[in-house]
Amino acid sequence: MPSTYYTKEHEWVKIEGNIATVGITDFAAHQLGDVTFVELPATGKSVKQFEVLCAIESVKAASDIYAPVSGKVVSVNEALETTPEIVNESAEAAAWMACLEMADSSEVNKLMSREQYDEFLKGL
């Protein structure tokens, strides 16, 4: 069964085996407003945990998306290139941004559970 974790920068990561699917949370999508562009990472790019993975632009701001775990990009959600508004419609499902082949599965211990993330949001 996949496990989902969250970061303080409002990314989510769903772990299935050694593949980590990354996106932004509904909270982040709401804060950004209407998403106008998603700059996806290149397939094959390697990132370390909490490094910039890609970028997103909205009517309000441009923001970096950080890698919740270290790994190599094995696929990206090309639908976001032509329909970035998917992020506003389905941030935590259809609007995944990239899949990473994880380098170190123990890194999830530095992330938050859904319950911890919800508590974190209450403090904002």
Side-chain angles (χ1 to χ4, degrees):
M1 184 176 148
S3 300
T4 305
Y5 300 90
Y6 299 85
T7 71
K8 287 187 163 106
E9 286 75 36
H10 311 290
E11 291 92 15
W12 58 261
V13 58
K14 187 180 294 180
I15 310 294
E16 295 184 74
N18 73 329
I19 300 298
T21 303
V22 179
I24 66 169
T25 64
D26 288 328
F27 176 85
H30 182 74
Q31 293 294 308
L32 283 168
D34 293 336
V35 173
T36 55
F37 180 72
V38 179
E39 180 189 336
L40 297 168
T43 303
K45 174 181 179 173
S46 290
V47 290
K48 297 217 177 309
Q49 188 175 36
F50 306 129
E51 277 185 353
V52 174
L53 174 65
C54 57
I56 192 167
E57 294 176 18
S58 72
V59 291
K60 291 184 184 176
S63 301
D64 288 330
I65 307 297
Y66 299 94
V69 294
S70 301
K72 184 172 83 175
V73 177
V74 292
S75 65
V76 296
N77 188 351
E78 293 176 1
L80 296 178
E81 292 178 329
T82 53
T83 49
E85 61 272 13
I86 295 170
V87 174
N88 297 111
E89 296 161 5
S90 183
E92 295 191 34
W96 63 276
M97 293 175 185
C99 290
L100 305 175
E101 189 175 343
M102 284 196 308
D104 180 359
S105 61
S106 73
E107 288 179 340
V108 298
N109 296 328
K110 298 176 188 166
L111 305 175
M112 292 180 277
S113 68
R114 182 77 218 195
E115 294 75 22
Q116 290 168 317
Y117 181 69
D118 288 343
E119 278 300 310
F120 171 71
L121 291 180
K122 288 178 188 171
L124 296 182

